[in-house]
Amino acid sequence: SKSCTSISALEVFALPSPETMWRIRNAAPIQERWYIHEFELHATDACAQNVIAMRQTVVSSSGWKEGTKTINAVDGKLETVWASACDDCAAGEAWVAVAFDSLQVVNCLRLYQSIERDRQTKVVALERWNKAAWVVFQVFDDAVGGLWGQYNSRWMNPPCGHRWRLVPANGSLGSALLRIAETAFFADAACTVALPGFAIASAAGPGSPSLYAFDGFLSTEWASLCGPCGEGEAWVGLHYDMPVDVLCAAAVLGEGGTGGGAARRLDGSTPAGQMSLRLEGWNGLAWADFGVEIAARPGAWAFARRLADLGESLVSGQAWRIVNAAATTAPWKVQELQFFTETECDGEVTGQAIASSEGPFGPAYLAFDKSLSFVSSWTSGCPKAGCAAEAEWVGSLFDKPEAFQCIKIYQASRTMTGDPSSIAVRLERWGPEQRWEIVMTFGTKTPLRSGRWEVLQILSSEEKFATKATEWRLVSEDAIKGYWAMAEVSFYDDVECQNALPGTAEASGESNNRFVTAAFDGRADTFWWSQDEPGRLEAWLGLAVGAPSFIRCITIIQIDDKDHSSIALQLQSRPDADWLHVRSFGNVAVGPITNLQVFEAVTDKPAGAMWRLMNYENIYDAWVVAELEFYSDKACTKIEVGQPLAPGYRIGEDPAAAFDVRPSTQWRSPCWPCSRGQAWLGQSFFSFSLGKGAEPRGVSVRCVILLQGAGEANSSESRSTLASAATLERWDGETWRRAGLFNDVVGGEYVKLILGGGGVSDTQVVVDYERKAQLQEALNSVEDNPEERRQSLVALGLDSVAAEAKMFVNAWPPELTTDLAAMEQFNAAFTEALRGSCADIFRQPFDYTFATDIVLKPADPKAPAGSEVALASITAQVEIFVAADTSESGNGSAAPAHDSTAEVYAKFRDIIEDPYNTQALFLRDAVRVEMRRVTRLAPLLASVVQQVDGSIRFRVSMLKLVEAKPTTTLQPSVAPSVAAAVVEDPLWQYILILVAAATVAILIIFGICKLYDNRRLKEEMDMWQVAHPGVPFPRRRAWWRKMLCTRLCPCCLRWAVTVERGASKDQKAIANLVASREQALAIQAAVGGTLSRRR
């Protein structure tokens, strides 16, 4: 028989009241005795009120080992211990109870078990007395030993963020154990703010409790019990009594081995002797993978940071690092690393040191301590044989985004054990796609030297985005399982993706007769296939252009297959011998048409030249936008029309469909689902001028009208609140800036998003419930045939009054004159507005009023300023048929009392002849009102009317009256013959009278001249007889011939002047020789007669 090694005691009490006694029991077997150093019962869930110490109690147990009384478990001393009476205790065999003098509530248990695995239970049951028996209150799994365990409701059902763990990322460990020497969790990405908690782990091996993974000693380690272990079977972590967010995790593998899983390098390869540990967090229901892994190795700290989850707190350019691009023969050692904002290495910026790993006595901050001492160096955690290429990195986190132009690095010199320096390093920065992007690689041509400063110059961002090249390519940043399949790719030099550049197609390789030309043939049903299974940055597709250019947009269509597509792409150029990284693109859509814009390279657009609307909430399907309009006024009347901008679209649902004023068409985003800011739609604005073409112009958007899809699947809606939100962004000349944030944007209705001008949050959302119904009604209305109706009115024998109506404006907006479809729509709107105005003013049915021969003319800058010729205009021929009675109405209802033909004609004449143009002003105002009514559902036309409304002038001319009467009775099948007599305007009669009066006056003047000429002829004949007695009077030339000859012939005209001068000399001679007045008169008359004949 066995010797007695324990003492059992039995104390008898009266049956206590319910919940006056509580006890804990081992709910799992224990290989030895159960050792409890201390336990506490707390009334609050926060474990802050130990009722055992506060109240009068009686402690009892299932028994105890000699020298370990029950009272030792509640004496407040960790150095004392209670050990159960049972050895190799079965489940539920050992227990410790506490009795209170009255009812007691317990919500938390604190327990300190033995650190030895064989002397602790993994499952603890908390029981309460119900006056008749013990009942289980709570059961706590994964109980810990060697430290205080705090068990409450959060331990039983931990909410999100209360537990974190590390688990092998490569699945099964094979036949080896998982050994962890040390683990730590941190609240910051720099891994400086530690988060201590309660150690938890999967089943531990003998003598290796979970506490050893968090005790701060590399000499101790936790080892898994399983070996081999299945996927997710071995893990170690921490439990927290409050939710925490672990942004950095670190681990050191135990020296006993790492098992079968290997850590992955940056390029995806797996070096030997390491293991990838995946960081997981409890989300309230299950363990969630956060997508970061630790490349753990024995004897050195390795880190994993959740940089991509920092969101807006870590923006592009806020983190920089250098990667060893070449292998080393000893652990990589960097004595100093400096970042500068200026090309001349001036303006140093310091931050928080970060690294992929840290060797013994070589933390990352030593690379930034301004000391060149060999012992003051960052040392990577590589094995003694050295680091593989692209395996390690060191860098800094900065307070704000930086654009470094110069890097200085000092690497350690070669030693007898190997070379700890890398002959090539790659500079990377945290990019806008929430991932590391390559900036430049140094040392590929001239190897970097160790033991001295190396100055690494970086091409500035301005230079990078302004450097033109003749070779461009799109590179996959992902390793592809099969081949990379591309249906179509195009390179553009504008962000609107309109000006495609021609060139020669190039590619990294081809397979299965799917040549590179298939990606440039304009067909979506042909494909280019790359080489099989290309690695990261190995598959690419490019274009060689004739002249140096800069690519600002790439349009691609990838095959919708994750094994043959890439979601991370990189644009590269080759201005010289090396390829230069230009920009990286993340979360690239697969399947739809995708536009990859390089907005950083836009330098010719002023502020306000581009605007876009972006989803602010997650969208669980693609974002659907049926209509989007930008206005430059808060009343949403002056529309701004530009070129659509979008990150892509689904085939058949292109961006233009969101700007066609038709709710039945729509644009669908390429992303599915879409995270915040991933889906957006906008416009780029231009001005047009002769000789210069399209030039970017800035606009000030004050209102946006949006009709998006209904429901959270197709609109920017939040799943939790069902309140949608969108952001409006404006191009400031260099980058996109938020102009407004709009909340409560409903889907399925037209919504006005109005900017208040007081900041991003000063916005207003107005829902227009009537517009969609009105627009649909207008689109569904049946178009009439005006010419057919006009012929029917002519057949009825109605009189009509016709005139020319012309509307003048200062100038037409460019969005009207540069769009033929818009001009046609405006002409139709003007026709309807003019008909409605005339029908109202002349009190005739609308169907009896017609406007034809519409001519829209732009302004003439060469014409005299202020003249009607210099103004822009639109002209129409108006014809109004005068209704015979009040029952004749185009819509079937009785029309108002109609004016007679004479009254209509008189009103037209008053408008034309009014010297003050008052009547024309009434007609102008009526047309303006009608134009606003007709164009209310067409944003572009409404904007045109709004812009020209203040300069409208009106003129009516060319009035004509047509009287028509039917000559036969109307027959059902035969149109009546109509005899029409046209009565013209009496103006022509006035013209005839004026011509007749002018003719009579001319005849009277001619008669008087003829009479005077005859009298002179008679005097000449008398003087001829005196001077030339007996000589006949010479024959005189006809008066009309003489007039034509002397007036039209230059020779005769000169002769006549000579004769006149000669006659003057003869007169002077006669005056000197003849003294007698009578003789002088006779001779003078004779000389005058000679002059007449000579003429």
Side-chain angles (χ1 to χ4, degrees):
S1 64
K2 294 183 179 180
S3 60
C4 181
T5 58
S6 63
I7 299 175
S8 297
L10 178 63
E11 299 181 27
V12 180
F13 298 91
L15 292 177
S17 301
E19 297 190 6
T20 58
M21 290 198 303
W22 293 80
R23 75 176 183 180
I24 57 174
R25 286 201 309 165
N26 66 313
I30 304 174
Q31 294 182 3
E32 296 184 8
R33 302 177 189 273
W34 190 12
Y35 282 75
I36 296 179
H37 290 269
E38 201 71 23
F39 89 97
E40 300 174 352
L41 298 178
H42 294 261
T44 63
D45 193 63
C47 297
Q49 190 176 1
N50 183 14
V51 294
I52 297 179
M54 297 173 58
R55 300 190 57 184
Q56 183 177 357
T57 59
V58 176
V59 182
S60 61
S61 67
S62 59
W64 65 88
K65 178 183 177 182
E66 184 178 2
T68 60
K69 295 183 179 181
T70 307
I71 195 64
N72 293 345
V74 294
D75 62 358
K77 301 176 183 180
L78 291 179
E79 58 270 18
T80 61
V81 64
W82 166 82
S84 64
C86 59
D87 192 356
D88 190 11
C89 303
E93 184 177 356
W95 55 267
V96 178
V98 178
F100 300 92
D101 57 357
S102 61
L103 182 145
Q104 178 61 54
V105 176
V106 174
N107 284 307
C108 175
L109 164 66
R110 295 190 72 212
L111 175 65
Y112 198 112
Q113 300 184 92
S114 171
I115 194 173
E116 298 295 333
R117 175 177 172 272
D118 296 339
R119 296 180 177 183
Q120 60 179 241
T121 179
K122 294 295 292 182
V123 183
V124 178
L126 176 63
E127 298 178 345
R128 62 182 176 85
W129 179 256
N130 69 353
K131 194 174 182 179
W134 290 99
V135 293
V136 176
F137 180 70
Q138 280 184 333
V139 177
F140 303 102
D141 298 322
D142 300 322
V144 297
L147 74 165
W148 279 105
Q150 189 165 299
Y151 309 104
N152 50 20
S153 59
R154 288 184 292 278
W155 184 278
M156 290 292 301
N157 299 298
C160 179
H162 281 253
R163 286 189 178 183
W164 295 80
R165 73 176 185 178
L166 294 177
V167 61
N170 299 336
S172 175
L173 293 176
S175 60
L177 306 178
L178 174 61
R179 298 179 180 275
I180 303 294
E182 267 314 298
T183 301
F185 295 143
F186 302 89
D188 62 328
C191 305
T192 58
V193 181
L195 292 171
F198 302 104
I200 56 176
S202 61
S208 56
S210 59
L211 178 64
Y212 285 174
F214 301 92
D215 61 359
F217 298 101
L218 295 180
S219 58
T220 60
E221 64 180 34
W222 168 86
S224 63
L225 177 63
C226 59
C229 299
E231 184 172 358
E233 185 178 357
W235 57 269
V236 64
L238 290 176
H239 171 83
Y240 298 93
D241 199 45
M242 63 182 64
V244 298
D245 192 13
V246 175
L247 295 178
C248 174
V252 182
L253 291 183
E255 296 291 346
T258 62
R264 287 187 280 270
R265 298 192 188 98
L266 300 181
D267 61 358
S269 60
T270 54
Q274 299 184 10
M275 171 178 290
S276 286
L277 299 178
R278 183 175 64 243
L279 175 65
E280 294 183 352
W282 185 259
N283 64 6
L285 298 175
W287 291 103
D289 180 8
F290 282 87
V292 295
E293 297 179 4
I294 301 176
R297 70 287 309 272
W301 283 99
F303 300 90
R305 296 171 174 84
R306 293 173 51 206
L307 299 182
D309 296 330
L310 293 178
E312 296 181 356
S313 61
L314 183 66
V315 298
S316 176
Q318 203 169 344
W320 292 73
R321 71 180 184 180
I322 58 171
V323 181
N324 67 315
T328 64
T329 58
W332 190 22
K333 188 184 290 288
V334 176
Q335 295 178 222
E336 277 300 309
L337 179 63
Q338 297 175 346
F339 296 90
F340 300 91
T341 58
E342 299 181 14
T343 307
E344 297 78 12
C345 288
D346 293 330
E348 182 183 1
V349 180
T350 59
Q352 289 182 298
I354 56 176
S356 57
S357 64
E358 294 177 353
F361 312 108
Y365 72 86
L366 293 180
F368 304 91
D369 63 352
K370 307 299 181 184
S371 173
L372 292 178
S373 172
F374 184 84
V375 296
S376 178
S377 306
W378 166 74
T379 305
S380 66
C382 298
K384 296 179 180 181
C387 305
E390 299 186 349
E392 302 295 333
W393 57 267
V394 61
S396 288
L397 291 174
F398 300 94
D399 296 334
K400 61 183 182 65
E402 300 289 350
F404 296 116
Q405 307 305 318
C406 177
I407 305 296
K408 293 178 67 176
I409 184 173
Y410 195 108
Q411 300 185 84
S413 301
R414 177 187 295 270
T415 64
M416 296 180 62
T417 58
D419 189 354
S421 65
S422 175
I423 60 174
V425 297
R426 185 174 68 236
L427 178 66
E428 297 181 354
R429 72 165 188 165
W430 191 252
E433 305 298 335
Q434 297 297 302
R435 60 187 297 139
W436 291 104
E437 65 178 20
I438 299 174
V439 177
M440 187 174 292
T441 302
F442 304 94
T444 55
K445 293 183 178 180
T446 303
L448 303 182
R449 290 169 290 183
S450 61
R452 56 172 294 173
W453 282 106
E454 285 283 359
V455 178
L456 312 178
Q457 297 285 347
I458 307 170
L459 186 67
S460 67
S461 58
E462 292 79 7
E463 293 175 336
K464 180 172 69 172
F465 292 115
T467 302
K468 297 182 178 181
T470 56
E471 287 187 88
W472 294 82
R473 69 180 184 181
L474 200 63
V475 186
S476 171
E477 292 188 350
D478 294 331
I480 300 175
K481 293 182 178 180
Y483 48 80
W484 191 15
M486 185 75 72
E488 201 64 28
V489 63
S490 298
F491 292 84
Y492 303 85
D493 63 359
D494 60 330
V495 291
E496 292 81 15
C497 308
Q498 296 295 315
N499 187 26
L501 296 179
T504 304
E506 300 175 339
S508 58
E510 297 169 337
S511 60
N512 296 338
N513 294 326
R514 301 302 177 97
F515 304 111
V516 65
T517 53
F520 295 86
D521 60 0
R523 296 176 54 183
D525 58 344
T526 60
F527 295 89
W528 161 76
W529 288 1
S530 72
Q531 67 272 27
D532 291 334
E533 298 183 357
R536 182 176 181 269
L537 302 177
E538 291 182 1
W540 56 269
L541 187 63
L543 185 72
V545 298
S549 306
F550 197 93
I551 302 301
R552 294 178 176 85
C553 175
I554 310 99
T555 298
I556 64 171
I557 305 177
Q558 297 188 87
I559 189 172
D560 192 2
D561 187 342
K562 65 179 182 179
D563 292 338
H564 303 286
S565 59
S566 175
I567 63 172
L569 302 177
Q570 184 180 123
L571 177 63
Q572 295 181 355
S573 67
R574 185 150 67 175
D576 296 316
D578 297 330
W579 285 101
L580 173 67
H581 169 270
V582 178
R583 196 183 191 281
S584 293
F585 303 92
N587 296 324
V588 178
V590 176
I593 299 174
T594 304
N595 296 329
L596 308 174
Q597 285 105 338
V598 186
F599 288 107
E600 296 87 344
V602 177
T603 58
D604 61 339
K605 293 185 180 294
M610 294 187 293
W611 292 77
R612 67 181 182 182
L613 195 68
M614 181 179 296
N615 70 305
Y616 190 73
E617 300 291 350
N618 293 335
I619 302 175
Y620 302 99
D621 201 331
W623 193 18
V624 174
V625 177
E627 193 62 28
L628 182 63
E629 302 158 5
F630 295 94
Y631 294 85
S632 57
D633 62 330
K634 294 182 180 180
C636 301
T637 58
K638 186 178 180 182
I639 196 171
E640 298 290 349
V641 179
Q643 184 71 37
L645 276 175
Y649 57 93
R650 303 275 172 170
I651 296 177
E653 297 173 304
D654 56 279
F659 302 95
D660 60 358
V661 203
R662 298 183 67 87
S664 59
T665 60
Q666 61 193 21
W667 165 80
R668 188 181 295 271
S669 67
C671 56
W672 179 88
C674 303
S675 59
R676 175 185 293 184
Q678 190 177 0
W680 55 268
L681 182 63
Q683 282 188 328
S684 179
F685 301 97
F686 296 88
S687 60
F688 301 88
S689 59
L690 296 176
K692 295 183 178 180
E695 293 184 343
R697 67 181 178 95
V699 301
S700 178
V701 173
R702 310 308 302 166
C703 173
V704 177
I705 291 183
L706 171 68
L707 174 61
Q708 64 174 339
E712 63 187 23
N714 300 119
S715 62
S716 182
E717 288 189 347
S718 170
R719 180 184 293 272
S720 59
T721 62
L722 295 180
S724 53
T727 57
L728 179 65
E729 291 191 346
R730 167 183 177 269
W731 181 257
D732 68 352
E734 295 181 354
T735 187
W736 290 102
R737 300 291 184 187
R738 182 180 294 180
L741 174 60
F742 302 91
N743 295 307
D744 302 323
V745 183
V746 300
E749 296 290 346
Y750 281 93
V751 181
K752 295 180 180 179
L753 311 177
I754 303 173
L755 291 175
V760 175
S761 59
D762 185 12
T763 58
Q764 183 181 4
V765 178
V766 180
V767 182
D768 188 352
Y769 292 101
E770 299 179 357
R771 177 175 175 181
K772 185 168 69 172
Q774 294 174 350
L775 181 59
Q776 194 63 46
E777 181 181 356
L779 294 174
N780 295 336
S781 62
V782 180
E783 296 183 359
D784 58 352
N785 190 338
E787 182 59 27
E788 182 179 343
R789 286 191 293 102
R790 183 181 180 280
Q791 294 299 330
S792 65
L793 295 177
V794 171
L796 289 174
L798 299 180
D799 298 339
S800 65
V801 179
E804 180 185 83
K806 181 175 287 189
M807 185 177 75
F808 298 94
V809 297
N810 291 338
W812 297 117
E815 55 264 32
L816 174 64
T817 57
T818 56
D819 190 340
L820 182 59
M823 293 174 62
E824 293 177 353
Q825 296 173 7
F826 186 79
N827 290 348
F830 177 72
T831 299
E832 184 177 353
L834 187 59
R835 290 175 59 198
S837 303
C838 292
D840 183 56
I841 290 179
F842 297 101
R843 298 199 297 174
Q844 298 298 317
F846 178 81
D847 293 342
Y848 282 43
T849 306
F850 301 89
T852 58
D853 300 334
I854 308 297
V855 178
L856 189 142
K857 184 181 78 67
D860 186 0
K862 298 181 180 179
S867 63
E868 289 187 351
V869 181
L871 299 175
S873 65
I874 183 170
T875 307
Q877 301 298 323
V878 180
E879 185 177 12
I880 301 177
F881 285 84
V882 182
D885 55 61
T886 60
S887 65
E888 297 170 356
S889 176
N891 55 12
S893 60
H898 307 305
D899 291 339
S900 64
T901 303
E903 291 173 330
V904 173
Y905 183 87
K907 283 187 177 181
F908 260 121
R909 186 177 59 194
D910 292 342
I911 293 175
I912 296 174
E913 298 177 356
D914 184 5
Y916 300 104
N917 203 32
T918 304
Q919 298 296 329
L921 292 178
F922 287 124
L923 179 59
R924 181 202 67 177
D925 293 340
V927 172
R928 290 169 60 185
V929 172
E930 282 295 306
M931 286 291 291
R932 287 195 290 267
R933 182 189 66 82
V934 170
T935 61
R936 70 189 187 281
L937 299 178
L940 175 59
L941 304 185
S943 174
V944 172
V945 173
Q946 175 72 15
Q947 295 180 62
V948 304
D949 185 77
S951 64
I952 290 179
R953 284 179 265 177
F954 224 85
R955 182 169 61 80
V956 181
S957 61
M958 300 177 64
L959 182 63
K960 183 172 66 174
L961 173 65
V962 180
E963 294 181 343
K965 296 181 180 179
T967 57
T968 60
T969 305
L970 293 176
Q971 299 296 330
S973 59
V974 180
S977 60
V978 179
V982 180
V983 180
E984 299 292 344
D985 197 316
L987 179 63
W988 67 273
Q989 298 177 358
Y990 300 148
I991 296 175
L992 290 179
I993 294 174
L994 180 61
V995 172
T999 304
V1000 171
I1002 292 174
L1003 291 175
I1004 293 174
I1005 295 174
F1006 179 77
I1008 294 174
C1009 292
K1010 185 63 176 175
L1011 180 62
Y1012 178 73
D1013 190 55
N1014 289 339
R1015 289 180 62 185
R1016 289 187 59 190
L1017 180 60
K1018 186 177 182 304
E1019 291 178 358
E1020 289 180 1
M1021 292 177 64
D1022 293 341
M1023 294 178 66
W1024 177 266
Q1025 292 299 329
V1026 174
H1028 305 281
V1031 180
F1033 189 77
R1035 184 177 179 181
R1036 189 175 182 185
R1037 189 187 313 179
W1039 65 271
W1040 57 272
R1041 293 179 60 189
K1042 178 171 61 177
M1043 179 177 292
L1044 288 175
C1045 185
T1046 58
R1047 299 299 181 191
L1048 302 178
C1049 179
C1051 298
C1052 295
L1053 183 61
R1054 289 196 298 272
W1055 177 80
V1057 173
T1058 304
V1059 171
E1060 289 178 357
R1061 292 175 179 174
S1064 177
K1065 293 179 180 180
D1066 292 344
Q1067 289 176 356
K1068 291 181 181 179
I1070 294 172
N1072 294 332
L1073 297 174
V1074 183
S1076 173
R1077 181 176 181 275
E1078 293 80 1
Q1079 291 178 349
L1081 292 174
I1083 295 173
Q1084 187 175 9
V1087 175
T1090 304
L1091 177 61
S1092 298
R1093 289 194 300 276
R1094 297 172 83 176
R1095 286 179 180 175

